Amino acid sequence: VQLQASGGGLVQAGGSLRLSCAASGRTFSTFAMGWFRQAPGKEREFVAAIRWSEGTTYYADSVKGRFTISRDNADNTVYLQMNSLKPEDTAVYYCATQVVPGSAYDYWGQGTQVTVSS
């Protein structure tokens, strides 16, 4: 599975961005797709995930009510709509796929930089 993330950029606090992650290859084995982020000097953290078949979503407490994860099964693409962005959302955002429920994520995209200015 290959993942291509895009949509990052520079935005002012309170603004919005929409990230996209296009999957190709053996996508039929995907159980869930997720977004993670890593800020400078910090560990990578979970942001949001969506079960590929039924669309159940999960969010980190820090982004609930501001971020929305969605997917387009036909295009094998997952999106992360980010609203009311804060400077603490600044990070490199990565998308990833999970094949086995509850297991570690198996495939990772290259990351896209999101910078929120105050």
Side-chain angles (χ1 to χ4, degrees):
V1 176
Q2 294 79 44
L3 302 174
Q4 182 68 43
S6 61
L10 173 64
V11 64
Q12 288 189 331
S16 299
L17 281 174
R18 189 193 195 204
L19 305 183
S20 300
C21 178
S24 60
R26 297 172 60 88
T27 57
F28 60 85
S29 61
T30 299
F31 171 75
M33 289 190 71
W35 286 97
F36 295 77
R37 66 187 181 187
Q38 186 167 20
K42 295 187 177 182
E43 293 188 353
R44 185 171 60 197
E45 65 175 359
F46 169 79
V47 175
I50 185 166
R51 291 192 180 185
W52 201 247
S53 59
E54 69 266 34
T56 306
T57 57
Y58 306 87
Y59 296 95
D61 288 343
S62 59
V63 306
K64 278 181 183 177
R66 300 188 299 122
F67 291 11
T68 302
I69 188 170
S70 61
R71 90 271 193 238
D72 184 328
N73 296 66
D75 289 341
N76 292 320
T77 301
V78 65
Y79 302 97
L80 186 67
Q81 178 66 44
M82 305 185 295
N83 299 329
S84 303
L85 282 162
K86 305 175 181 179
E88 50 264 43
D89 294 318
T90 295
V92 177
Y93 283 71
Y94 299 89
C95 59
T97 64
Q98 184 186 53
V99 175
V100 177
S103 70
Y105 280 72
D106 305 272
Y107 303 97
W108 293 81
Q110 84 285 7
T112 184
Q113 176 70 47
V114 172
T115 303
V116 185
S117 63
S118 57

